[in-house]
């Protein structure tokens, strides 16, 4: 029993060290209840959406529609909503939002480190080497702004897990185990897509393909597998990826063509120019810094990867080249080259011709995260290679890494103090590795030394008052971005999710609110800026989602195209592509979106509003009650969305007296009868009930965003939902008293769930069938068993 306990302790030591190191670095998040304000999207996008997701799931509801911002928009179909991203779903459903956010941030670097450790162990790396790789990636994320770039951190984490499952599938001797690990890999690939359905998915999928090709090719060349057997197991791993994840993929594939992302960044620029008359900057590859940006991994604070890992990063290419290292080198080199602006500009014509190709051109610098995935694998290979190499060859293995990461940054002008920790790590770690020639057992202390080095660099970075830039010229911020040091979290997460007096004032009434903040209008994102304590009463940053209120404005890279276009046409100065705001709203905007409240500084531009609440200098002012739904007997029929948009934006348009339709409502010509009454009642996020009393046939205008998945019924009989005033909803109702119900149902969500369920059932049946065959013929496949033994040797 004691021997078994010791074995388990040794096996758990590496993952436990990774976990403990991340918890020490992120202690304010893990134990202090604090949230970071360093990355705008954390508080302004991820927290609100995940909070809404968790509340919906806890109530037993699939969150298909989010009514709280932008007049409403699809939720489950949004690629970044968190729907089908299991960590977000579990944490936010189980914990209060203020506690779930820090836990979510802490989880992802831990998952990355343990996932990479599992991959390296499956590839028969020694425990010290595997722990070195896991520590490097986990603390490289946790010590830098990458930790709060939540899609990137998630993509790195699940890429590591995906590689681990693929390695286990290829190393399994029985088909039942292969099927099981292939299913686990498909689940990991789906989480990768849910974390970052763009650059992150590309990096992780490319890493998987490179590993499969290199590993199976090596097996075939060595005679360990036939070409057919290699194709069979590799094909199994790849074939199950999409079917298992239809629940995630189908809603997104159905939604994207109807969204701003489906239009493309370059087309969005052209539409903005046409609608507003202003010329936005062209879509060009964002600067990724010079050719030397990977050297930032040697500087501290920031995404520092450790002296010994960097010193041995090239050792894998000099001596022992296992498949994991070769695949990592391929991915690292490809991501490095494609992140360079000169390469992106050269490839621009090709990518502009590919659907969604301009996503790469929009931010090629994001591919640099593939290098952050590759270097820890190469470092672990270097440590293993050092331990296996003869003493006379060991220093030759370290020489290239020391020259590139220890000397070259100094030549390029990096100040020595930023390289000091790398030099200390190389000296101390090198001395420890040298001592292993006489006492091999000392190698077990290498991960502990590395952990102390990385934790020290991370804590120093958090104590800094600002993001440290270590480029030779401080103007070259992109050389460091996005690997700056993670600053100490400074937001009380519990207080952030409590809106205070201003939120209570708005909640007691009805209608939507609109925040006005003149001091933020010049920001690139305007509505979603760097949030700071004292802004609680402003109710911006999409906090309406958290507080259960309804905000006219919002921030989302994937918006309903009609709503986005309406805001551009009604705005003098168009905001950034992913923000919809109304800095100077006129009467048309107020009526279209049922704006009853202004929140902002004391001086507000619109007459008829009265202050009702003040919090930290931010004032809530209430205006005239405007209906969410109204009956209109006057309408204009126009030919298509473009014509409707122009009528709505024309100076003489009165949205309270007439409605613009794009198709015949089927109730005859507009009449002169007096409008009737409409009583609006929300039945939850995806349902509305409206009691109408109409003296004649009329158009029921509902001031919620139009989407093709809204369904209507009149007294239980189906009725079409028409686009009205370009971006709103309308239903034609007959004379008399009726009950109109509207509900949002995205069929792709349910079809996707069924598809994933069927794929999972098929894999379960395949596993059962394989197990039955194996019980009848239990002998393992000898070629694979010999291959495993060879790798262990």
């Amino acid at each position: 029993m004691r021997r078994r306990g010791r074995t388990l302790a040794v096996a758990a030591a590496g993952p436990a060290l990774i976990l403990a190191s991340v918890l020490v670095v992120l202690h304010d998040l893990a134990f202090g209840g604090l949230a970071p304000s360093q990355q705008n999207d954390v508080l302004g996008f991820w927290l609100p959406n995940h909070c809404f997701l968790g509340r919906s799931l806890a109530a037993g509801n699939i969150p298909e529609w989010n009514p709280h911002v932008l007049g409403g928009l699809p939720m489950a179909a949004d690629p970044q909503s968190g729907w089908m991203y299991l960590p977000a779903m579990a944490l936010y459903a189980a914990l209060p939002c203020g506690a779930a956010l820090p836990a979510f941030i802490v989880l992802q670097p831990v998952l990355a480190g343990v996932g990479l450790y599992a991959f390296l162990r499956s590839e028969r790396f020694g425990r010290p080497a595997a722990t070195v790789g896991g520590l490097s990636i986990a603390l490289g994320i946790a010590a830098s702004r990458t930790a709060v770039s939540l899609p990137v951190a998630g993509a790195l984490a699940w890429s590591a897990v995906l590689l681990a499952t693929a390695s286990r599938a290829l190393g399994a001797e029985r088909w039942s185990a292969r099927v099981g690990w292939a299913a686990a890999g498909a689940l990991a690939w789906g989480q990768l897509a849910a974390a970052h359905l763009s650059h992150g998915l590309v990096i992780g999928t490319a890493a998987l393909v490179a590993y499969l090709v290199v590993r199976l090719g090596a097996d075939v060349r060595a005679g360990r597998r036939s070409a057919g057997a290699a194709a069979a197991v590799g094909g199994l791993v790849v074939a199950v990826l999409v079917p298992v994840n239809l629940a995630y993929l189908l809603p997104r594939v159905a939604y994207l063509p109807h969204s701003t992302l489906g239009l493309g960044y370059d087309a969005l620029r052209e539409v903005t120019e046409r609608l507003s008359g202003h010329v936005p900057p062209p879509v060009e590859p964002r600067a990724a810094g010079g050719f030397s940006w990977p050297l930032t991994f040697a500087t501290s604070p920031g995404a520092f990867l450790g002296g010994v890992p960097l010193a041995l990063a090239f050792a894998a290419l000099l001596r022992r080249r296992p498949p994991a290292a070769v695949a990592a080198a391929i991915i690292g080199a490809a991501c490095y080259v494609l992140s360079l602006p000169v390469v992106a500009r050269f490839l621009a014509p090709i990518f502009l011709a590919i659907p969604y190709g301009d996503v790469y051109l929009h931010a090629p610098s994001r591919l640099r995260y593939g290098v952050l995935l590759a270097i820890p694998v190469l470092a672990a290979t270097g440590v293993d290679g050092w331990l296996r190499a003869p003493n006379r060859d060991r220093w030759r293995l370290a020489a290239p890494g020391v020259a590139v990461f220890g000397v070259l940054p100094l030549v390029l002008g990096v100040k020595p103090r930023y390289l000091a920790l790398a030099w200390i790590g190389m000296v101390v770690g090198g001395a420890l590795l040298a001592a292993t020639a006489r006492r091999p057992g000392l190698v077990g202390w290498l991960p502990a030394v590395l952990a102390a080095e990385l934790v020290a660099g991370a804590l120093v970075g958090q104590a800094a008052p600002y993001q440290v830039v270590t480029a030779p010229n401080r103007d070259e911020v992109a050389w460091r971005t996005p690997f700056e040091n993670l600053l100490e979290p400074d937001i009380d997460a519990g207080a952030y999710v409590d809106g205070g007096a201003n939120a209570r004032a708005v909640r007691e009434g009805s209608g939507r609110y609109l925040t006005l903040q003149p001091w933020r209008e010049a920001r690139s994102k305007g509505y979603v800026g760097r949030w700071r304590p004292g802004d609680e009463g402003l109710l911006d940053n999409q906090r309406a989602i958290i507080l259960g209120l309804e905000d006219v404005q919002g921030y989302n890279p994937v918006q309903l195209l009609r709503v986005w276009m309406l805001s551009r046409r009604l705005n003098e100065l168009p905001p950034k592509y992913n923000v919809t705001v109304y800095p100077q709203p006129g009467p048309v905007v107020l009526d279209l979106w049922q704006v009853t409240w202004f929140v902002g500084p004391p001086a507000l531009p619109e007459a008829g509003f009265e202050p009702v609440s003040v919090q930290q200098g931010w004032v809530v002012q209430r205006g005239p009650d405007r209906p969410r739904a109204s009956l209109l007997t006057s309408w204009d029929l126009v030919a298509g969305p473009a014509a409707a948009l122009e009528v709505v934006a024309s100076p003489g348009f009165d949205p309270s007296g007439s409605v613009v339709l794009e198709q015949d409502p089927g109730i005859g010509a507009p009449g002169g009868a007096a409008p009737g009454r409409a009583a609006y009642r929300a039945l939850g996020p995806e349902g509305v009930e409206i009691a109408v009393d109409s003296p004649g046939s009329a158009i029921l205008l509902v001031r919620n965003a139009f989407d093709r998945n809204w369904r209507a019924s009149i007294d239980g009989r189906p009725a079409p939902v028409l686009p009205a005033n370009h971006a709103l909803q309308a239903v034609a109702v007959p004379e008399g008293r009726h009950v109109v119900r509207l509900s949002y149902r995205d069929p792709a969500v349910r079809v996707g769930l069924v598809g994933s369920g069927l794929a999972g059932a098929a894999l379960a049946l395949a596993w059962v069938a394989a197990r039955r065959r194996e019980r009848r013929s239990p002998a393992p496949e000898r070629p694979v068993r010999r291959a495993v033994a060879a790798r262990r040797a």
Side-chain angles (χ1 to χ4, degrees):
M1 182 65 71
R2 183 178 301 175
R3 184 176 181 181
R4 183 180 178 185
R6 183 178 179 181
T7 301
L8 290 175
V10 170
L17 182 60
I18 294 168
L19 171 62
S21 300
V22 173
L23 290 177
V24 171
V25 170
L26 300 180
H27 58 280
D28 285 327
L29 292 164
F31 310 111
L34 296 179
S37 63
Q38 187 174 358
Q39 167 60 267
N40 297 337
D41 290 354
V42 172
L43 298 178
F45 185 81
W46 301 109
L47 174 60
N49 283 287
H50 287 171
C51 189
F52 179 69
L53 170 73
R55 282 202 308 258
S56 300
L57 294 174
N61 181 46
I62 296 175
E64 297 184 61
W65 183 260
N66 176 3
H68 298 290
V69 290
L70 298 170
L73 75 166
M75 178 69 180
D78 186 331
Q80 302 178 106
S81 66
W83 169 244
M84 297 309 298
Y85 190 35
L86 299 182
M89 293 172 67
L91 287 173
Y92 281 87
L95 299 174
C97 296
L101 173 64
F104 182 78
I105 295 173
V106 171
L107 172 64
Q108 297 196 131
V110 172
L111 190 61
V114 174
L116 196 66
Y117 175 89
F119 170 59
L120 295 170
R121 288 292 295 146
S122 180
E123 289 294 296
R124 307 303 169 185
F125 284 69
R127 286 193 175 91
T131 307
V132 165
L135 281 170
S136 291
I137 192 170
L139 295 187
I141 295 171
S144 69
R145 196 163 61 91
T146 309
V148 292
S149 298
L150 300 186
V152 175
L156 290 171
W158 288 105
S159 294
V161 175
L162 176 62
L163 290 172
T165 59
S167 176
R168 295 300 297 265
L170 267 57
E173 297 180 347
R174 301 177 184 275
W175 273 103
S176 60
R178 293 171 183 171
V179 170
W181 284 112
L187 181 62
W189 186 80
Q191 298 307 288
L192 170 63
H196 201 198
L197 189 66
S198 58
H199 300 79
L201 179 61
V202 169
I203 292 170
T205 305
L208 172 66
V209 172
Y211 168 71
L212 291 176
V213 170
V214 173
R215 167 78 183 272
L216 292 174
D219 285 351
V220 171
R221 286 193 301 273
R224 294 188 289 265
R225 301 179 197 265
S226 66
V233 67
L236 171 66
V237 171
V238 174
V240 299
L241 297 180
V242 171
V244 168
N245 294 293
L246 290 174
Y248 174 82
L249 295 172
L250 275 185
R252 277 73 181 194
V253 170
Y255 174 46
L256 286 180
H258 304 277
S259 70
T260 51
L261 188 61
L263 200 60
Y265 293 107
D266 202 41
L268 288 176
R269 173 182 173 272
E270 295 174 0
V271 171
T272 299
E273 179 181 354
R274 174 169 55 83
L275 294 177
S276 67
H278 294 272
V279 183
V283 177
E284 292 181 342
R286 290 183 180 176
F291 73 94
S292 56
W293 66 258
L295 301 181
T296 59
F297 292 125
T299 60
S300 177
F304 174 58
L305 299 185
V308 166
L310 293 172
L312 295 176
F314 295 103
L317 306 179
L318 298 177
R319 188 174 184 274
R320 180 174 177 256
R321 292 185 288 275
V326 175
I330 292 171
I331 291 303
C335 288
Y336 167 71
V337 171
L338 290 172
S339 74
L340 300 176
V342 63
V343 175
R345 283 191 287 269
F346 177 77
L347 297 175
I350 298 174
F351 279 93
L352 286 174
I354 300 173
Y356 303 109
D358 58 353
V359 172
Y360 160 66
L361 299 176
H362 177 65
S365 60
R366 291 176 183 168
L367 289 177
R368 69 175 76 187
Y369 291 107
V371 181
L372 181 55
L373 175 66
I375 288 180
V377 177
L378 296 175
T381 308
V383 171
D384 245 17
W386 173 284
L387 297 174
R388 297 170 187 269
N391 290 339
R392 64 180 182 276
D393 293 339
R394 285 181 167 179
W395 297 109
R396 182 175 63 86
L397 298 180
V402 171
V404 171
F405 290 106
V407 179
L408 185 57
L410 195 65
V411 174
L412 293 176
V414 175
K415 295 179 180 179
R417 68 173 179 268
Y418 296 128
L419 295 167
L421 194 58
W423 293 338
I424 293 172
M426 289 178 182
V427 171
V428 175
L432 181 61
L433 284 173
T436 61
R438 293 174 176 265
R439 298 182 62 183
L442 289 176
V443 71
W445 288 98
L446 181 62
V449 171
L450 176 62
E453 176 189 359
L454 296 177
V455 168
L459 295 179
V460 169
Q462 288 185 28
Y466 53 84
Q467 293 178 173
V468 177
V469 179
T470 59
N473 181 349
R474 284 189 66 87
D475 293 334
E476 298 178 34
V477 177
W479 197 75
R480 183 68 175 173
T481 304
F483 297 124
E484 301 100 336
N485 50 304
L486 178 68
L487 299 177
E488 189 174 8
D490 56 354
I491 303 297
D492 185 329
Y496 183 83
V497 300
D498 180 6
N502 282 359
R504 289 192 292 271
V506 175
R507 191 177 291 115
E508 289 172 1
S510 62
R512 296 188 176 98
Y513 73 87
L514 191 152
T515 58
L516 294 173
Q517 58 274 49
W519 44 272
R520 288 188 176 178
E521 289 175 10
R523 291 175 181 262
S524 62
K525 291 185 178 179
Y527 176 78
V528 182
R530 174 76 178 273
W531 196 88
R532 54 198 177 192
D535 289 349
E536 288 90 349
L538 185 57
L539 307 183
D540 66 342
N541 238 25
Q542 298 204 119
R543 291 172 70 223
I545 304 176
I546 301 172
L547 302 171
L549 306 175
E550 290 186 299
D551 191 349
V552 178
Q553 305 177 122
Y555 161 58
N556 197 311
V558 187
Q559 297 184 30
L560 287 170
L561 192 55
R562 286 175 176 266
V563 174
W564 184 90
M565 292 178 70
L566 181 65
S567 74
R568 268 61 188 171
R569 185 65 180 85
L570 297 178
N571 266 326
E572 251 184 67
L573 294 176
K576 197 173 179 181
Y577 73 96
N578 52 11
V579 178
T580 291
V581 294
Y582 297 96
Q584 296 176 320
V588 172
V589 170
L590 302 184
D591 187 277
L592 285 175
W593 294 117
Q594 196 204 7
V595 177
T596 308
W597 311 87
F598 278 147
V599 186
L604 294 175
E606 191 71 21
F609 281 73
E610 299 290 337
V612 296
S613 177
V614 180
Q615 182 182 347
Q616 298 164 315
W618 302 112
V619 182
V620 173
Q621 299 200 29
R622 180 169 186 166
D625 286 333
R626 292 180 168 86
R628 179 62 60 90
S630 53
L631 286 169
L632 299 171
T633 56
S634 175
W635 63 86
D636 294 316
L637 189 61
V638 298
L645 185 58
E646 290 309 309
V647 173
V648 171
S650 63
F653 178 66
D654 178 13
S656 65
S658 181
V659 61
V660 181
L661 302 177
E662 300 167 25
Q663 63 189 77
D664 190 340
I667 55 175
R677 295 189 300 274
Y680 180 97
R681 183 167 69 97
L683 301 177
E686 294 102 13
V688 171
E689 181 180 276
I690 307 168
V692 301
D693 185 358
S694 178
S697 297
I699 298 297
L700 175 63
L701 175 65
V702 183
R703 292 169 176 83
N704 294 330
F706 173 82
D707 183 76
R708 70 195 190 286
N709 289 321
W710 277 100
R711 302 289 183 265
S713 67
I714 302 175
D715 300 330
R717 295 185 297 275
V721 179
L722 309 175
N725 292 346
H726 184 74
L728 306 182
Q729 305 171 9
V731 179
V733 296
E735 178 183 354
R737 294 183 177 180
H738 306 281
V739 175
V740 179
R741 286 190 173 89
L742 292 101
S743 59
Y744 187 85
R745 290 292 179 268
D746 186 346
V749 172
R750 284 152 183 79
V751 173
L753 287 170
V754 171
S756 289
L758 292 176
L763 283 171
L765 291 175
W767 182 85
V768 170
R771 288 290 294 167
R772 287 178 176 175
R773 285 196 301 270
E774 289 159 3
R775 288 193 184 100
R776 291 194 294 267
S777 54
E781 299 177 16
R782 291 292 175 185
V784 175
R785 174 182 258 186
R786 286 196 298 270
V788 171
R791 286 200 304 277
R792 282 177 174 168

